[in-house]
Amino acid sequence: MALGRLVNGQWTTVWTERNENGEFQRMPTQFHHQITADGASGFRAEAGRYHLYVSLGCPWAHRTVLLRALKGLEKVIGLSIVDPVISDQGWKFSDKPGCIRDKVNQADYLWQVYTKANPNYTGRVTVPVLWDKHTQTIINNESRQIIYILNTEFNFFAEKTVDFYPKSLQTLIDKTIDAIYQPINNGVYRTGFATSQTAYEQALKELFLALEYWEKVLGKQPYLCGEEITLADWCLFTTLFRFDLVYYGLFKCNIKRLVEHPNLWNYCRELYQFPGIKQWCNISHIKQLYYVGLPELNPNGIVPLGPIINFDLPYNRRDRQN
């Protein structure tokens, strides 16, 4: 994957996330501070204190934008949206449609936010980033941890009372997010960025075995963890939404399209049509990120006009196919 990284605070494009077998191995995130409602973590939940940096094309960042909207935190946590196309200096800020410049740190590139937090930072420069304006540092850049924070710790300020991580289901939700991560969320990347036939086929097999498993689960119950929407569903949704748009073609995840999985396709449409979601589902940013921003996979940068997918088609979750 032709993305740069920082080494001791200096930008470089000489690196790889593949091993000697051609397998894609994602580098771990490094900022894992927690925000808590009572401030016991050292970072108290406060209105106006925190800022979220995201890409609307990236599925990991997308899930944090959705939780911000679902909880009604738009007036509480600020937002910057990077340019959909990754530059030779990584994520950049621009005035393209759907983008929001960095009005907090006035950065031109996201790596400048990372080096402001740690001048000697070594590692990937990724979205999402949750920034603390008080201490001038990155709180967290791990999407899974950020959605937990947004769901739970800002309830005093949230305009919506929904809870996607109820105590009675927390163990199951955690296990489900673990179960979908490697074969599906990360599996599309393991497939698309494989550089050997063996690595590609293994990742593809695991991906579709997992999709077929959850297709059967959703034939028996409406959501991944039972009768209510949870964080696990939003984690799966951002991958499913991109599946036919980019993963099926560009990433060669082409055994079956999402629309050929009746239960998963029905489920995806319901989540897309959930109040507050569709305005944050930017197909243009998604296509630009993958088809223009990954020249090693698409050297000419041609963005396909299709597929034409109607996520607004009516859904009927009671008519599930077992």
Side-chain angles (χ1 to χ4, degrees):
M1 191 172 185
L3 302 180
R5 66 192 292 253
L6 287 168
V7 177
N8 295 322
Q10 300 298 311
W11 183 258
T12 179
T13 57
V14 181
W15 72 297
T16 182
E17 280 186 297
R18 299 184 181 97
N19 65 16
E20 64 277 6
N21 297 319
E23 299 169 331
F24 173 73
Q25 295 185 324
R26 186 177 299 276
M27 293 179 66
T29 56
Q30 297 185 35
F31 292 93
H32 298 152
H33 302 299
Q34 297 296 309
I35 299 170
T36 52
D38 61 5
S41 65
F43 300 95
R44 183 186 299 275
E46 300 176 30
R49 175 173 174 175
Y50 301 100
H51 193 79
L52 189 61
Y53 292 94
V54 303
S55 159
L56 294 183
C58 168
W60 315 102
H62 190 194
R63 58 173 68 169
T64 67
V65 180
L66 296 186
L67 261 294
R68 176 178 175 268
L70 289 164
K71 294 291 290 189
L73 293 171
E74 292 94 333
K75 298 177 182 178
V76 178
I77 297 173
L79 184 69
S80 291
I81 300 173
V82 298
D83 191 287
V85 179
I86 301 174
S87 74
D88 58 0
Q89 293 194 59
W91 298 109
K92 65 180 180 180
F93 298 97
S94 76
D95 295 316
K96 286 185 181 178
C99 299
I100 303 175
R101 281 195 174 271
D102 179 14
K103 298 178 182 179
V104 173
N105 291 302
Q106 289 75 46
D108 294 315
Y109 298 95
L110 188 62
W111 66 259
Q112 295 167 335
V113 176
Y114 274 72
T115 56
K116 187 171 183 179
N118 178 1
N120 298 311
Y121 175 78
T122 294
R124 297 177 67 218
V125 175
T126 59
V127 285
V129 167
L130 188 57
W131 176 265
D132 179 13
K133 291 187 282 187
H134 286 196
T135 60
Q136 295 285 289
T137 196
I138 294 173
I139 296 293
N140 204 299
N141 69 337
E142 174 55 56
S143 66
R144 178 170 175 175
Q145 294 180 20
I146 292 174
I147 62 174
Y148 281 67
I149 291 169
L150 298 181
N151 177 81
T152 306
E153 304 302 333
F154 284 85
N155 287 336
F156 179 79
F157 306 98
E159 294 181 355
K160 301 174 184 177
T161 58
V162 289
D163 182 8
F164 299 105
Y165 192 56
K167 289 185 178 180
S168 61
L169 291 175
Q170 287 180 0
T171 299
L172 179 59
I173 293 169
D174 292 341
K175 289 181 178 178
T176 302
I177 294 176
D178 287 341
I180 64 176
Y181 169 74
Q182 184 68 349
I184 300 179
N185 296 141
N186 198 41
V188 292
Y189 288 91
R190 292 170 56 228
T191 302
F193 291 125
T195 54
S196 72
Q197 189 70 31
T198 299
Y200 163 74
E201 291 185 9
Q202 182 61 36
L204 186 72
K205 178 181 178 180
E206 293 175 12
L207 168 63
F208 277 91
L209 283 174
L211 289 174
E212 293 297 339
Y213 172 81
W214 293 107
E215 171 74 10
K216 292 178 181 177
V217 169
L218 293 172
K220 300 174 183 178
Q221 62 191 44
Y223 308 110
L224 299 187
C225 296
E227 298 299 316
E228 58 184 292
I229 299 174
T230 68
L231 291 181
D233 297 292
W234 297 119
C235 287
L236 181 58
F237 169 74
T238 58
T239 299
L240 296 183
F241 183 72
R242 288 159 175 75
F243 199 89
D244 288 1
L245 293 173
V246 291
Y247 301 143
Y248 181 87
L250 186 66
F251 279 14
K252 304 183 185 70
C253 300
N254 54 8
I255 301 298
K256 287 174 66 175
R257 296 173 297 159
L258 175 67
V259 297
E260 296 176 88
H261 294 82
N263 294 321
L264 284 166
W265 173 223
N266 202 15
Y267 162 85
C268 182
R269 297 199 309 277
E270 180 185 2
L271 294 178
Y272 173 79
Q273 295 173 42
F274 193 92
I277 293 301
K278 66 176 64 178
Q279 60 262 43
W280 297 107
C281 295
N282 192 314
I283 291 176
S284 175
H285 275 222
I286 290 169
K287 285 189 173 184
Q288 289 182 70
L289 167 60
Y290 288 94
Y291 284 102
V292 182
L294 299 175
E296 64 174 298
L297 299 183
N298 190 34
N300 294 320
I302 295 173
V303 180
L305 296 179
I308 297 173
I309 305 171
N310 188 357
F311 292 97
D312 281 307
L313 284 174
Y315 61 87
N316 182 357
R317 303 306 311 291
R318 291 173 296 181
D319 186 26
R320 295 189 288 275
Q321 299 189 21
N322 296 306

